[in-house]
Amino acid sequence: MSEATLQLEISVVLPHIEDKRDRCVGRLTELMAGHKGIQQAHVERENGQALVCLHYDPNLLTLEGVRRLAQRAGAQITDRFHHVHLPIEGMDCSDCVTVLEHAVGRLDGVLTVSVNYAAQSMRVEFDGQQVNQAAIERRVRSLGYAIPAEGLRSWLSENRELLFSALAGLLVLVGWAGGRFLGLPQPVSLALYIGAYILGGWDISRHAFHALAERHFDTDLLMVIAALGAAALGEFAEGALLLFLFSLGHALEERALERARNAIKALADLAPKTALVRRNGAEVETPVAQLQLDDVVIVKPGARLPADGVVAVGRSAVNQAPVTGESLPVDKMPDTPVFAGTINGEGALEVRVTRLAKDSTLARVMQMMEEAQAQKSPTQQTVERFERIFVPAVLIGALLVIFAPPFFGVPIRASFLRAMTLLVAASPCALALGTPAAILAGVAQAARNGVLVKGGVHLENLGRLKAIAFDKTGTVTHGRPELTDVVARAGAGREADDVLALAAALESRSGHPLAQAVVRAAQAKGLALPDAADVAAITGRGLQGLLDGLPALLGNAALLADAGVPLPGEIAAQADAWQGEGKTVMFVALGGQVVGALAVADTLRPGVRAVMAQLAQAGISRTIMLTGDNARAAAAIARQAGLQDVRADLMPEDKLDALKGLLQQYGLVGMVGDGVNDAPALAHATVGIAMGGAGTDVALETADVALMADDLGKLPFAVGLGRATRAIITQNLVIALGVIGVLVVASLTGLAGIGIAIFFHEGSTIVVVLNALRLLGYRGTNV
C-alpha cells in the first residue's frame, strides 16, 4: 500500500494552543486518524518544533486534501474546546486552591482546572458544547471570590481585607481597654468584640462555608471553629483577637506576595502600547496590537522597541537587559534582530516587524511565565497531600482533646479551650505557603535576570543537579571558526601579515567557513591582497592557483606532498603543536616553497573557564562535553574551557545515549545546548537548558530553562538560584513544622492560650513569606 506524509506545525492547525502537550493535540490526531485515507496521525518533534505528522494514502487523498482536512479538524476543535486564564480575587489562603479546583472541576464540561494561589489566577479548559465561560465565572463568584475585569482591582478591593482587619483590631483594643481602664459597661465591650468578630471573620467564614459545601476541611474552618468555641466559653476577647490577628496576617501575607507578582507583571509593561509606523509615506501612531508583519516602525532615541523585528535603517546600541538580562547594550545595525521591550540608545532606528505582538519574544516569555506559575513543584505537591490528611486529623484530635480529658478529672471548660487552641496551633498555613511563595519569587527573579524557568519543578531540579553536560559548538565555543595563529617561515623574507595576505587572496575565492575566517582576519587588518587567478579546489587537500603570476598552494600536508613541496621542520613542529590544541592547520606555499602556516579554530566563548569554576563552587561535581568533533580537538577545547570530561565523535543519537549513561551515573544531570540539534538530549535531561532563548523559537520551545541571552555566564546564576530556592523551601518547611510542633505541645499542656497560639501561628506564616521574598534580591551569592 502506498503512503505519503504531511507534517504541519501545531500552531498552524491549533492556533489557540499554548502548551504543545495540551489534550487538544491528542484530540486532533484522534479526529484525523478517523478519516478515510489517513493511515496514521501522531505528534513528533523536529528541531524542537512540535509537528502533527499525517501518513495518508495518495491514491485516496491529495496533499491539499489532507491539509484541508487538518485545518477543518483544527477549526472544529478550536470552536468546541476553550482555554481561559482568569485572575481571582479574594483567595486568602492556599486552601482556597482546593475549594476552587474542586467546585469548578465538578461543572459538566470542565475538563481541567488549575488554580495558583501565589499568582492569584485560574486556568480552565472546558467543552464549549456543555459549559461556557460565563457559567464558570458565576461558579467562582458563588464561592465568594471575585474576577476583576481584565485583572484590574479597585483600591477598596485591594485594601478591603487590611481595612477590615485594622477596624477589627481597633474594636478589640477599645473593647479591652475600655472595659479594663475606662469602665465601659460589659454589654458595650461585648458589642465591640462582636463587631471585631464580624469584620475579622468576614472573609474567613465565607471561605470556610464554601469549603464545607465542597466537603473540604481547610485552615479557615479551623479558625472559625476556634473563634466560635471561644465565644461559646464566653471568651469573646480571645476569639476577637484570634480573628483580628488571623485576618491581619493574611492581609500582610497578601501584600508581601504581591511584591513577587509585581516583579512578573512588570515584564508585561515593558513593551509600549503604541508604535510609530511608516505607511503610505506618512508616519502614523498605531496600537502595537494592530502592527502587521513587514510594517516598518520608527524607534526614536531612548524609546522602547514596540515589536520583534530586524533593523532596516540606522545604527544604535540597544539595552536588552529587560528581556535577556545582558548587562551591556548591544550594537544594532541593518539586518540584526531586535526584541520588543528593549530600550533604544542614542541612534534612531527603523525596524521591520517580523513577529506580531502576540508572538513576540516578550509575549511568549509572559505566556510561559504564567504556565510556570500554574505548575506545582514536587515539594508543593507533597505538602498538599500531607495537608489533605493533616487538617481532618487535627479536627479529630480537637474532638479527642474536648471529650477525653474530662474522664480523667479535667474540667470540660479547660479541655474545650485547649482544643480550640490546638485548632489554631496546628493550622498549616505557613506550611502551605512556604513552597509556592519561594517558587513564585524564584521564577520572578530568574526572569528579571534573563533566565526563563518554565516551572517550579525545573527550578527545584536546577538546585539538585549533580552534573551538567555541554554541547560544544555554539555552546562552549562560538560555533564559528576564527583565525588564531599565523607564522612565517624563518629566512623566507616574509612577515606573518604577508602569509595571511597570500592565504586570504586564495580563500577569497572560496565560500568554506574556514576560508571566511581567514578572509575576515585579513580584512580586519586592512591587508592588501595579491591578485589571484585560476584558483581551484582540490577535494580533501585545499586550494591551488596563481598569486601575482606565481604558483601557490594553500592546504594540508597531503597537498604539499602531492605537489612535491618539502615541509620545513620548524613549520612542521609548529603545526603539530597547533593540532595538539585542536586547531586546523593550513600551509601556504608560493613558487614551490612553504612560506608559512596558519591555524584556525572554533574559539571559546569569553569567560567559559570562569563559568566552570563558578559551577564547581555552586556544587556541580562534574562537567562533561558531548560533541561530534574528533577526540583530540575536543580534548583540547575541554582543557581550555575547564571541563572535566569529554565524550567525542558522537552522532546526534549517540549524544542521547551518552546522556542516558550520565543519568545512570550521576542521577541528576543538566544538558546545555543551542536547542536545535540538541533537542533530544535537552528533552531527556533532568533539566534541559537552551542558550539564546530570545533569538530562537526552538530554544524557547524545547528546553525547561532558557538563557535568554546567548551567554553561558547566566548558567551559574540559574544553578545558584535553584540551590537558593531549595534552601529557602527547606528553611520554610522547618520553620512551619517547628512552630506547629511547639504550639501543639504548648496547647495540649496548657502552656499557651489562643492569643499566644495565633500570634506565633500568624508570625510564622509571615516569616516564611518574607523569607521566600529574599529570593527577589538574589544576585548570585548564597542566600
Side-chain angles (χ1 to χ4, degrees):
M1 183 172 62
S2 59
E3 178 183 292
T5 303
L6 172 65
Q7 291 183 327
L8 294 170
E9 289 187 21
I10 288 177
S11 59
V12 172
V13 189
L14 296 171
H16 71 295
I17 295 302
E18 299 174 355
D19 187 346
K20 300 305 181 288
R21 293 162 295 187
D22 192 285
R23 289 198 290 183
C24 281
V25 177
R27 296 183 186 109
L28 176 68
T29 56
E30 289 176 12
L31 194 58
M32 288 301 298
H35 281 287
K36 182 179 180 180
I38 301 293
Q39 298 166 351
Q40 184 184 2
H42 61 93
V43 177
E44 64 179 33
R45 283 190 170 272
E46 183 175 294
N47 293 332
Q49 294 290 323
L51 303 171
V52 177
C53 190
L54 303 172
H55 301 263
Y56 65 96
D57 185 346
N59 296 317
L60 299 177
L61 291 170
T62 65
L63 178 67
E64 282 305 312
V66 175
R67 193 186 305 275
R68 283 195 299 272
L69 281 176
Q71 291 173 340
R72 193 178 305 137
Q76 182 179 338
I77 292 170
T78 300
D79 290 341
R80 178 173 178 180
F81 298 100
H82 305 275
H83 305 73
V84 294
H85 192 274
L86 301 172
I88 304 295
E89 182 181 298
M91 290 194 287
D92 62 6
C93 196
S94 57
D95 291 306
C96 299
V97 171
T98 305
V99 174
L100 276 165
E101 289 181 344
H102 186 256
V104 175
R106 288 171 57 199
L107 288 173
D108 290 338
V110 170
L111 304 173
T112 60
V113 56
S114 176
V115 179
N116 188 295
Y117 169 64
Q120 300 280 281
S121 64
M122 176 175 71
R123 187 178 184 277
V124 185
E125 179 188 4
F126 62 94
D127 184 342
Q129 293 184 359
Q130 295 181 273
V131 70
N132 56 32
Q133 183 173 337
I136 293 171
E137 292 184 359
R138 281 196 300 273
R139 186 58 175 267
V140 171
R141 293 189 177 99
S142 73
L143 297 171
Y145 304 99
I147 303 174
E150 297 183 0
L152 300 176
R153 302 176 65 187
S154 66
W155 181 90
L156 181 61
S157 64
E158 285 186 347
N159 296 278
R160 180 176 55 80
E161 189 173 14
L162 186 61
L163 184 61
F164 277 21
S165 178
L167 291 174
L170 180 62
L171 292 179
V172 171
L173 178 62
V174 172
W176 174 78
R180 190 177 182 105
F181 303 110
L182 303 179
L184 279 181
Q186 196 274 337
V188 175
S189 293
L190 180 60
L192 292 171
Y193 291 143
I194 291 174
Y197 261 72
I198 294 172
L199 290 170
W202 181 263
D203 291 305
I204 301 168
S205 57
R206 286 189 305 126
H207 295 160
F209 172 77
H210 291 301
L212 272 179
E214 296 298 325
R215 298 185 293 278
H216 174 67
F217 300 110
D218 64 4
T219 53
D220 285 339
L221 178 63
L222 298 184
M223 292 301 171
V224 169
I225 292 174
L228 293 176
L233 294 174
E235 302 286 348
F236 282 95
E238 290 273 19
L241 179 64
L242 183 157
L243 294 176
F244 157 61
L245 290 175
F246 191 68
S247 61
L248 177 63
H250 277 186
L252 294 178
E253 293 156 21
E254 174 65 21
R255 289 300 179 90
L257 282 173
E258 194 65 26
R259 279 193 59 203
R261 295 185 199 118
N262 287 339
I264 293 175
K265 291 175 184 175
L267 290 174
D269 297 329
L270 290 177
K273 301 295 184 268
T274 61
L276 190 60
V277 186
R278 177 174 288 119
R279 286 180 180 162
N280 301 320
E283 297 179 3
V284 183
E285 193 82 14
T286 304
V288 168
Q290 295 179 13
L291 287 177
Q292 301 172 7
L293 295 179
D294 293 326
D295 271 345
V296 174
V297 298
I298 299 168
V299 186
K300 296 180 179 179
R304 287 188 183 271
L305 277 81
D308 282 15
V310 173
V311 175
V313 178
R315 292 173 178 267
S316 186
V318 174
N319 179 2
Q320 297 190 156
V323 175
T324 67
E326 292 167 283
S327 57
L328 297 175
V330 179
D331 290 333
K332 300 294 180 179
M333 59 196 69
D335 296 327
T336 55
V338 291
F339 309 113
T342 56
I343 306 166
N344 188 21
E346 296 181 355
L349 295 175
E350 293 185 17
V351 175
R352 180 174 57 83
V353 176
T354 57
R355 285 198 183 108
L356 300 178
K358 64 182 180 67
D359 299 322
S360 72
T361 298
L362 185 61
R364 288 180 297 154
V365 167
M366 287 304 304
Q367 172 189 312
M368 291 175 181
M369 290 287 290
E370 289 178 357
E371 294 172 4
Q373 293 174 61
Q375 295 176 13
K376 296 174 182 177
S377 72
T379 304
Q380 186 177 348
Q381 293 173 21
T382 301
V383 169
E384 288 180 357
R385 288 194 294 269
F386 172 75
E387 283 183 69
R388 285 195 287 270
I389 300 171
F390 183 69
V391 174
V394 170
L395 287 171
I396 294 171
L399 290 174
L400 292 175
V401 171
I402 292 173
F403 296 110
F407 287 104
F408 301 97
V410 178
I412 185 66
R413 178 184 176 84
S415 296
F416 196 88
L417 188 58
R418 288 184 184 181
M420 297 306 101
T421 304
L422 175 64
L423 292 179
V424 176
S427 178
C429 271
L431 191 63
L433 270 180
T435 299
I439 295 296
L440 179 67
V443 168
Q445 184 63 1
R448 288 162 66 178
N449 287 272
V451 178
L452 176 62
V453 182
K454 294 187 180 178
V457 59
H458 308 307
L459 186 58
E460 281 198 31
N461 282 339
L462 269 175
R464 300 168 59 216
L465 292 180
K466 303 293 177 59
I468 299 181
F470 295 83
D471 173 53
K472 181 182 82 72
T473 305
T475 302
V476 175
T477 65
H478 285 104
R480 187 177 78 165
E482 297 290 347
L483 182 74
T484 58
D485 304 273
V486 182
V487 65
R489 195 191 81 188
R494 294 184 180 272
E495 301 294 332
D497 282 354
D498 298 329
V499 175
L500 176 56
L502 294 170
L506 290 172
E507 295 284 34
S508 64
R509 305 301 178 89
S510 171
H512 193 280
L514 297 181
Q516 294 171 8
V518 173
V519 173
R520 281 197 306 271
Q523 289 174 341
K525 290 195 168 193
L527 300 180
L529 307 185
D531 292 331
D534 299 333
V535 177
I538 302 175
T539 304
R541 297 290 193 266
L543 299 172
Q544 68 178 13
L546 297 175
L547 294 178
D548 289 339
L550 293 175
L553 298 173
L554 174 68
N556 55 27
L559 177 66
L560 300 181
D562 291 346
V565 176
L567 182 60
E570 72 272 18
I571 296 295
Q574 181 63 73
D576 285 342
W578 286 341
Q579 288 171 339
E581 297 171 1
K583 299 175 181 178
T584 299
V585 178
M586 294 176 283
F587 302 103
V588 182
L590 187 66
Q593 289 188 337
V594 172
V595 296
L598 309 90
V600 177
D602 185 5
T603 56
L604 283 180
R605 288 178 177 272
V608 168
R609 195 172 187 89
V611 167
M612 300 305 160
Q614 291 166 3
L615 289 174
Q617 292 175 356
I620 301 299
S621 60
R622 199 73 176 168
T623 52
I624 309 100
M625 178 192 290
L626 305 181
T627 179
D629 274 5
N630 65 77
R632 187 177 183 185
I637 290 291
R639 283 195 302 272
Q640 296 172 40
L643 287 154
Q644 298 164 303
D645 193 3
V646 182
R647 310 290 169 86
D649 297 308
L650 300 178
M651 298 296 287
E653 59 272 19
D654 297 330
K655 280 189 181 181
L656 182 56
D657 291 338
L659 183 67
K660 290 178 179 177
L662 292 173
L663 286 167
Q664 291 180 349
Q665 185 175 357
Y666 297 103
L668 299 162
V669 180
M671 173 70 193
V672 186
D674 59 14
V676 182
N677 54 4
D678 305 310
L682 289 174
H684 280 80
T686 307
V687 181
I689 304 163
M691 293 184 58
T696 63
D697 294 334
V698 175
L700 277 180
E701 295 295 338
T702 303
D704 305 314
V705 176
L707 308 181
M708 300 303 289
D710 197 20
D711 177 16
L712 260 185
K714 292 292 180 183
L715 183 58
F717 168 85
V719 172
L721 181 62
R723 296 267 199 270
T725 302
R726 290 194 69 234
I728 290 288
I729 290 173
T730 301
Q731 293 166 14
N732 284 350
L733 293 178
V734 170
I735 292 170
L737 291 172
V739 170
I740 288 174
V742 171
L743 287 180
V744 166
V745 172
S747 64
L748 291 175
T749 57
L751 295 176
I754 289 181
I756 292 175
I758 189 62
F759 177 81
F760 281 100
H761 167 271
E762 285 306 310
S764 67
T765 306
I766 293 172
V767 165
V768 299
V769 172
L770 293 178
N771 191 40
L773 293 188
R774 290 197 298 135
L775 289 168
L776 291 177
Y778 181 81
R779 290 291 181 271
T781 55
N782 293 330
V783 173

